[in-house]
Amino acid sequence: MAKYIIEKSDPLRGEVTISGAKNAVLPLMAAALLSEGPCVIRDAPALKDVEIMCRLIEALGAEVDADLDQNVVSITAKEIKAYQAPMDLVVKMRASILVLGPLLARTGHAVISMPGGCAIGDRPIELHLKGMRALGADVTINEEGSIITCSCEQLRGATIYLDFPSVGATENIVMAACMARGTTIIENAAQEPEITDLVNFLNKMGARIKGAGTDTIKIEGVEKLHGAMHYVIPDRIESGTFMVAAAISRGTVLVKNVLPDHVKPVMAKLKECGVEVVVSDEGILVNADKGELISTDIKTLPYPGFPTDMQSPFMALLTTVEGTSAVIETVFENRYMHVKELRKMGASIKVDGRCAIIEGGGKLHGAKVNATDLRGGAAVVLAGLVAEGRTEVDSIYHIERGYEHFVEKLRALGGRIRREED
Ligand code: UD1
C-alpha cells in the first residue's frame, strides 16, 4: 500500500491553483443520466471518486469518455440499460446514492445498495427516501436493510420539508423532480454552492429550477432534458485546506481559482487567528509569517456556516497555536477519528461528545499515522509538514479520493512530502 513520507518543511511559499470541486462533479455526473443527449463536464478533477462514478454510470448503460488528464468527462446516456447500481462500486463511495433520483426519473426504477464512504458517522439516507416517496415512488428496503428498491409510474411534484438540510438528499430530490409532473418545493433545502452548481447545470439542460442557494428550491417539472456543457466550480474545501496549509506552516500562499464567497467562514476564522487574508482579482493571499497566531473556537454547521469538511484540517492548525481552542462538530457525530492520529504526533486534544478542546502550542513530532478518512487524512499531512522529524501517513487512498495532485501541489509550495509505494 502506498504512503506519504513527510519531513518538517520550511514555511510554504508560492501559488497554488485549485481544482474543480469533488462534491460538485459527482452530482453533475449523476445528473447527466437525466438526458439522452451528450453532456460535457469540464474542470473535472482527476480523483478516485470521479473514476468510480465513471464506472458506475457506465454500468448503467451510459457512454462515458473520461480524459482526466485534460479534466474532461463526457457522458451520453442515450439509453439506460440497467437500473441496478453495482454493489461493489456503491459500497466504495457514498455519493453513489446520487444516481437514485436520476435513475428513478429516467426509468421509473432504481435499485441500489446502502452506500459506503468515510466512516465519519451513521450517515443514514432516510431523507433521500422520504423525498422519493413524497414524489410518488414506492420505496422498499430488504430485510437485511442493505438493498433499496424504488419504482414509480410517473413522479409527481410535491412539497418536501427536510428535517435536516442534507446536501445529498437535496441533490437527489432536485434531480428526481426535474421531470416529475407538476411543481416540487423543497423546504429547509441545503444551500451549499455545489447545489447551486448542480441546479445551474440542470437549468442549462432545460430544467426549470429556482431558489438554489436559498433554503427553498422550486422545481417545475419538464418533459425532457437535453445535453449541456458545464465547468465545475472550484473546490472550496481544497481551497480551505491550502489556506490552512499556509497558516500552519506560517507561510505565504496565493490560492488561485477560488471563489472567495465560498470560503468566507474559513477566511473569517483564519483572520481571528491573526492570519492576514487578502482577496484580490488574482485569488486569496494567505500570509501567516507575521507574528504569533491566536487560538480560536470553531463550530461546524451547514452552509453558510463553517464546513464540517474543514474541521479536521483547521484542528491541525489549532494544535500549533498557543492557548486553548474549542471545536464543536454539529454535522456528523463521529468526525473526530483524526484526533487519535494528531495525538500520536504530540497534540493535546480532549474530546467530549461533539466537543474537542485543544491545548495548542506544544511541539508536534513526526509519527506513523493513518489517514482515517479523507479530510482527517489532510489534517495529518498538514501537521506532518510542521512536525519535528519524519511523518509516515498510511491509508492515503482516502486522501486521493478527494485531493487532486495533493503531493505535487504541496511540493511546489516547498512542502517536503513524497509518495512511496510499499
Ligand atoms: C456531503 C459531502 C460531504 C460533506 C457533507 C456535509 C458530497 C459528495 N459529500 O455529504 O463531503 O461532509 O455533505 O457538508 O457532496 N443525514 C440524515 N439523513 C439523511 C441524509 C443525511 O440524517 O437521509 C445526516 C447525516 O447523517 C449527517 C448530516 O445529515 O449527519 C449531513 O449529511 P449530508 O448533508 O447528507 O451529507 P452528504 O450529502 O452525505
Side-chain angles (χ1 to χ4, degrees):
M1 293 262 260
K3 57 188 169 199
Y4 292 159
I5 308 294
I6 307 167
E7 310 277 350
K8 184 174 164 63
S9 309
D10 288 335
L12 299 187
R13 293 202 191 285
E15 298 178 357
V16 62
T17 301
I18 298 306
S19 303
K22 168 181 97 69
N23 288 351
V25 72
L26 299 173
L28 293 173
M29 292 171 73
L33 289 169
L34 288 164
S35 143
E36 288 174 21
C39 290
V40 180
I41 300 169
R42 297 189 183 274
D43 285 346
L47 298 172
K48 279 277 172 303
D49 273 10
V50 174
E51 286 170 25
I52 295 173
M53 195 56 133
C54 285
R55 284 166 58 202
L56 175 54
I57 286 178
E58 224 161 24
L60 299 172
E63 278 171 35
V64 180
D65 183 6
D67 183 352
L68 289 181
D69 288 339
Q70 295 299 318
N71 300 111
V72 185
V73 179
S74 305
I75 299 169
T76 308
K78 202 172 249 167
E79 208 188 330
I80 304 281
K81 296 186 182 135
Y83 50 79
Q84 175 148 12
M87 196 188 290
D88 59 320
L89 298 178
V90 175
V91 293
K92 280 195 183 139
M93 184 180 69
R94 180 175 163 88
S96 315
I97 189 73
L98 294 171
V99 301
L100 181 68
L103 271 182
L104 194 57
R106 190 72 197 276
T107 70
H109 293 283
V111 179
I112 193 161
S113 44
M114 284 289 182
C118 290
I120 57 179
D122 218 9
R123 305 194 83 170
I125 55 162
E126 87 287 354
L127 296 173
H128 301 240
L129 304 185
K130 173 181 172 175
M132 299 307 130
R133 284 196 181 100
L135 294 172
D138 189 27
V139 179
T140 53
I141 304 177
N142 68 346
E143 255 179 42
E144 293 77 34
S146 56
I147 310 272
I148 305 146
T149 305
C150 298
S151 59
C152 66
E153 289 279 314
Q154 162 73 55
L155 293 175
R156 286 174 197 284
T159 296
I160 301 160
Y161 171 82
L162 292 180
D163 303 277
F164 183 88
S166 155
V167 175
T170 303
E171 292 167 342
N172 242 334
I173 298 168
V174 166
M175 290 188 280
C178 277
M179 295 194 285
R181 194 167 293 161
T183 304
T184 299
I185 295 173
I186 310 175
E187 294 173 341
N188 199 28
Q191 302 175 40
E192 270 68 1
E194 293 75 19
I195 289 170
T196 308
D197 202 37
L198 171 66
V199 165
N200 288 340
F201 180 50
L202 290 167
N203 283 343
K204 281 187 201 168
M205 294 169 76
R208 295 178 60 198
I209 309 168
K210 286 187 180 150
T214 76
D215 64 358
T216 307
I217 301 180
K218 188 172 172 189
I219 306 127
E220 306 272 3
V222 296
E223 283 277 304
K224 248 179 176 258
L225 296 186
H226 50 76
M229 196 278 278
H230 191 73
Y231 285 89
V232 182
I233 52 168
D235 195 310
R236 64 194 165 96
I237 306 301
E238 189 198 4
S239 309
T241 303
F242 277 98
M243 288 161 71
V244 170
I248 198 171
S249 71
R250 309 302 191 258
T252 306
V253 174
L254 176 65
V255 181
K256 295 169 85 168
N257 191 37
V258 50
L259 295 169
D261 268 359
H262 292 179
V263 288
K264 269 187 187 164
V266 178
M267 290 200 289
K269 284 293 160 182
L270 284 174
K271 284 181 189 167
E272 269 180 35
C273 287
V275 178
E276 189 180 88
V277 181
V278 182
V279 177
S280 72
D281 289 347
E282 279 188 291
I284 300 176
L285 183 72
V286 180
N287 184 354
D289 69 1
K290 292 194 188 111
E292 284 288 294
L293 297 191
I294 310 153
S295 60
T296 191
D297 302 331
I298 60 170
K299 181 176 182 179
T300 67
L301 286 168
Y303 192 86
F306 190 92
T308 172
D309 286 356
M310 280 305 301
Q311 181 254 107
S312 43
F314 213 94
M315 186 187 285
L317 167 65
L318 294 175
T319 67
T320 69
V321 178
E322 197 72 49
T324 307
S325 300
V327 171
I328 303 175
E329 172 60 62
T330 76
V331 180
F332 289 105
E333 73 280 8
N334 185 27
R335 210 166 193 177
Y336 284 138
M337 290 175 307
H338 53 280
V339 166
K340 194 169 143 222
E341 307 306 307
L342 289 172
R343 280 190 194 133
K344 287 182 195 164
M345 303 175 77
S348 167
I349 307 167
K350 279 194 191 123
V351 174
D352 184 4
R354 290 181 177 242
C355 184
I357 302 291
I358 299 126
E359 296 298 340
K363 282 250 175 298
L364 296 179
H365 54 77
K368 255 179 112 116
V369 290
N370 250 310
T372 51
D373 60 282
L374 166 54
R375 308 303 172 185
V380 291
V381 168
L382 300 194
L385 292 173
V386 295
E388 287 299 334
R390 172 188 156 109
T391 298
E392 226 179 277
V393 184
D394 281 323
S395 308
I396 57 168
Y397 55 89
H398 282 301
I399 300 173
E400 295 178 351
R401 281 187 41 221
Y403 288 94
E404 187 185 49
H405 308 317
F406 197 37
V407 168
E408 292 81 352
K409 287 183 181 182
L410 286 170
R411 285 174 71 94
L413 296 171
R416 294 176 64 198
I417 174 170
R418 62 177 202 279
R419 190 180 195 279
E420 206 171 74
E421 298 290 341
D422 237 5

